Amino acid sequence: GENVEQHPSTLSVQEGDSAVIKCTYSDSASNYFPWYKQELGKGPQLIIDIRSNVGEKKDQRIAVTLNKTAKHFSLHITETQPEDSAVYFCAGPRTSYGKLTFGQGTILTVHP
Amino acid sequence: KAGVTQTPRYLIKTRGQQVTLSCSPISGHRSVSWYQQTPGQGLQFLFEYFSETQRNKGNFPGRFSGRQFSNSRSEMNVSTLELGDSALYLCASSLEWGSSYEQYFGPGTRLTVT
């Protein structure tokens, strides 16, 4: 079955530093990889996603890279700010009509 | 445009009871998925509905069921509640059914079973 592993489970950085979260997946048919941010008491918020026909996508301070050969994708946050503190989830695979399988989440703490 | 709404936001039930949770997708969205979130198991897929038909189902017992109405609103029902059903239940909507469409989550319903 589908499996998504996410690392690290916790990540602590100083404000202004970069943060990287990595996920690996097992289903080679996967073609859609979203990332979600969940703040306390809220539902997950879609922050960026990437499809299998591209290797990298950026949106201001956030970027996602995809390596289909190695079956992993990563979230990169640059110039971190305290408001980036949250739980981040990767998800995949989402084949043509498949469900999303989520990673276990990464608790990111950005210290001022 | 309003986001995904879920009602109620909080619910306390007793073991053995049943519960119904409601989800209204983003206007124009036709697909609704349900997830269970717990500290131990993380986010787990329950089921997905499109055009009033269940299209995908996760590995949950038959006590968990759902349906979708013609206006795309969805409900999920859990019968014979167990303590382990205590969780945050999240609904997500997408424009259509398929991999090209992003899923947007609601705030969730926090269910506590005592």
Side-chain angles (χ1 to χ4, degrees):
Chain A
E2 309 91 348
N3 187 42
V4 178
E5 292 190 6
Q6 182 173 346
H7 299 281
S9 56
T10 60
L11 181 58
S12 183
V13 300
Q14 289 297 126
E15 183 176 0
D17 287 351
S18 294
V20 180
I21 304 169
K22 182 177 176 179
C23 287
T24 59
Y25 61 96
S26 57
D27 187 348
S28 57
S30 308
N31 57 8
Y32 174 65
F33 307 89
W35 284 91
Y36 288 86
K37 174 185 180 182
Q38 187 173 26
E39 296 173 309
L40 203 60
K42 298 183 178 180
Q45 174 194 3
L46 178 66
I47 55 172
I48 195 167
D49 55 20
I50 191 168
R51 301 181 192 282
S52 58
N53 57 345
V54 297
E56 183 177 7
K57 182 177 179 181
K58 287 184 180 180
D59 183 3
Q60 299 182 340
R61 297 186 296 108
I62 294 174
V64 57
T65 57
L66 172 64
N67 184 325
K68 287 208 73 179
T69 303
K71 295 184 185 176
H72 67 71
F73 55 112
S74 300
L75 176 70
H76 305 255
I77 305 175
T78 59
E79 301 173 26
T80 54
Q81 301 168 1
E83 50 265 40
D84 293 331
S85 296
V87 182
Y88 290 81
F89 293 95
C90 63
R94 187 163 170 87
T95 53
S96 295
Y97 297 103
K99 62 179 176 69
L100 280 176
T101 299
F102 283 83
Q104 287 301 304
T106 297
I107 301 172
L108 173 65
T109 304
V110 181
H111 299 281
Chain B
K1 185 182 279 191
V4 178
T5 58
Q6 292 186 245
T7 57
R9 290 294 312 279
Y10 303 92
L11 207 50
I12 299 176
K13 289 287 187 179
T14 305
R15 270 184 305 175
Q17 288 185 315
Q18 75 165 19
V19 67
T20 299
L21 312 180
S22 181
C23 171
S24 292
I26 293 170
S27 178
H29 283 199
R30 299 171 61 198
S31 177
V32 173
S33 298
W34 289 89
Y35 294 83
Q36 182 196 65
Q37 186 175 30
T38 60
Q41 298 299 316
L43 273 158
Q44 291 190 294
F45 173 79
L46 280 157
F47 25 65
E48 179 176 16
Y49 286 88
F50 176 76
S51 290
E52 302 177 64
T53 302
Q54 187 180 92
R55 304 290 176 160
N56 273 306
K57 189 178 190 304
N59 297 323
F60 279 82
R63 300 185 296 108
F64 292 82
S65 63
R67 59 177 176 169
Q68 186 181 33
F69 302 95
S70 58
N71 61 358
S72 297
R73 191 177 67 86
S74 177
E75 288 182 348
M76 69 163 281
N77 184 277
V78 188
S79 62
T80 320
L81 284 166
E82 300 176 0
L83 294 179
D85 296 333
S86 294
L88 181 67
Y89 289 88
L90 292 159
C91 166
S93 78
S94 57
L95 194 59
E96 297 286 342
W97 178 50
S99 62
S100 300
Y101 303 101
E102 300 87 352
Q103 287 192 349
Y104 297 94
F105 282 84
T109 294
R110 172 73 63 186
L111 172 63
T112 302
V113 181
T114 62

